[in-house]
Amino acid sequence: MALKDRLKSILGRKGQENISALADQYFSILLESDVNYDTAEYMRDKFLSKFSDPEAMVPDNYISAMKSIMTDVLVKAVPKTNLMNVEKKPYIILFIGINGTGKTTTVAKMAKYLSDHGKTVVVAASDTFRAGAIDQIKIHGEKIGIRIISQQMGSDPSAVAFDAIEHAKARNVEYVIIDTAGRMQNNRNLSEEMKKIKRVSKPDLVILTVDALAANDAVEQAGTFLNNIGFDAIIVNKMDTDARGGAIFSIAHQFGKPILFLGTGQKLEDLKPYDPNEIISGIFP
Ligand SMILES: Nc1nc2c(ncn2[C@@H]2O[C@H](COP(=O)(O)OP(=O)(O)OP(=O)(O)O)[C@@H](O)[C@H]2O)c(=O)[nH]1
Ligand SMILES: [Mg+2]
């Protein structure tokens, strides 16, 4: 059940219980909706702190209290810099993330987004490990009309990234976007490989993709990536299939990193700039 529908069960009630009972219910609903424990606890405590007497009956303004707490959590992840307006050229964007979280699709979506906004883009097909990965991004490239720099499968992903950057420098291309593998064959270590690509490509922005459906796993994955490789921003994919809707709060709360975009479908135009108000008005209509 969606967070919105679960909250409905407590929204609109008046004077039936005290603040601490309501806060407990709020907490349970958040957990059931895939908000992680830390974030749910934070929101419950904030809720309680807004009312001086926990034994008091529920005041009329508790809905606005919940709404403002949830808005604040999401607002903390609003990006402060505008990707469309960067100084450096080429501006290098490295995508990392577990397999299936939508890296390749998002690389293509972002290339389209930038190119629709009049920017020049080249993509590095640096997932040289998964069979089909290079073709997958090439097909996207043809559709969008942007150049994909690739080598054969099995070649060094860092070398592909390097080529793409050289290509961009030589042709005055504004953005380089690097797709990477989400899983390694031959026992090669994903994290070591990503560190190497990062060293070689010196990205201006490292973006982690996570899958909203993975919820608490997504939070855990992001923590691991943050510790092992580091990232600057997050894109949360599969928002369209996330029935529960709580993961976005944990992701916004837990890392102190901006959320740039939300993936809202499989099509190349299904990339929406992150907008807390839109999410909140979906929950509190
Ligand atoms: N519904 C939905 N599907 C998505 C979204 N983003 C990606 N997908 C789908 O998720 C699947 C995996 O996406 P990929 O882009 O291949 O994921 P990846 O991270 O590159 O995976 P690996 O290359 O295996 O590491 C594909 O079928 C995509 O179409 C989204 O926002 N919504
Ligand atoms: Mg991929």
Side-chain angles (χ1 to χ4, degrees), residues 102-105 127 130 133 136 179-182:
K103 286 179 301 301
T104 305
T105 309
D127 180 355
R130 185 170 62 77
Q136 185 188 357
D179 186 25
T180 62

Side-chain angles (χ1 to χ4, degrees), residues 87-131:
E87 300 267 302
K88 198 179 149 264
K89 199 159 135 188
Y91 190 81
I92 299 163
I93 304 171
L94 172 66
F95 273 77
I96 58 173
I98 287 287
N99 63 297
T101 52
K103 286 179 301 301
T104 305
T105 309
T106 314
V107 163
K109 286 175 176 177
M110 193 174 242
K112 177 175 161 48
Y113 185 89
L114 289 167
S115 129
D116 285 351
H117 285 78
K119 308 292 184 188
T120 49
V121 187
V122 63
V123 167
S126 286
D127 180 355
T128 61
F129 292 91
R130 185 170 62 77

Side-chain angles (χ1 to χ4, degrees), residues 159-173:
V160 180
F162 187 80
D163 277 0
I165 295 164
E166 289 301 300
H167 173 95
K169 283 182 182 160
R171 284 160 220 237
N172 223 14
V173 174

Side-chain angles (χ1 to χ4, degrees), residues 36-183:
N36 75 339
Y37 196 92
D38 284 357
T39 309
E41 197 172 47
Y42 170 85
M43 296 203 273
R44 179 193 56 192
D45 293 350
K46 277 267 163 197
F47 180 76
L48 280 172
S49 73
K50 283 187 187 274
F51 302 99
S52 53
D53 178 8
E55 297 305 316
M57 296 303 275
V58 174
D60 289 343
N61 57 347
Y62 75 93
I63 296 176
S64 66
M66 288 178 186
K67 192 171 166 181
S68 88
I69 290 160
M70 293 168 89
T71 305
D72 289 349
V73 165
L74 295 183
V75 164
K76 275 188 273 177
V78 170
K80 291 178 183 68
T81 50
N82 183 355
L83 198 60
M84 292 301 136
N85 203 359
V86 292
E87 300 267 302
K88 198 179 149 264
K89 199 159 135 188
Y91 190 81
I92 299 163
I93 304 171
L94 172 66
F95 273 77
I96 58 173
I98 287 287
N99 63 297
T101 52
K103 286 179 301 301
T104 305
T105 309
T106 314
V107 163
K109 286 175 176 177
M110 193 174 242
K112 177 175 161 48
Y113 185 89
L114 289 167
S115 129
D116 285 351
H117 285 78
K119 308 292 184 188
T120 49
V121 187
V122 63
V123 167
S126 286
D127 180 355
T128 61
F129 292 91
R130 185 170 62 77
I134 298 171
D135 284 341
Q136 185 188 357
I137 191 70
K138 275 188 179 164
I139 290 165
H140 286 310
E142 260 163 45
K143 242 187 258 166
I144 314 162
I146 53 145
R147 185 74 188 267
I148 308 291
I149 304 294
S150 65
Q151 296 179 8
Q152 313 90 303
M153 201 185 145
S155 58
D156 181 355
S158 297
V160 180
F162 187 80
D163 277 0
I165 295 164
E166 289 301 300
H167 173 95
K169 283 182 182 160
R171 284 160 220 237
N172 223 14
V173 174
E174 294 165 286
Y175 294 83
V176 177
I177 310 181
I178 306 167
D179 186 25
T180 62
R183 188 156 48 194

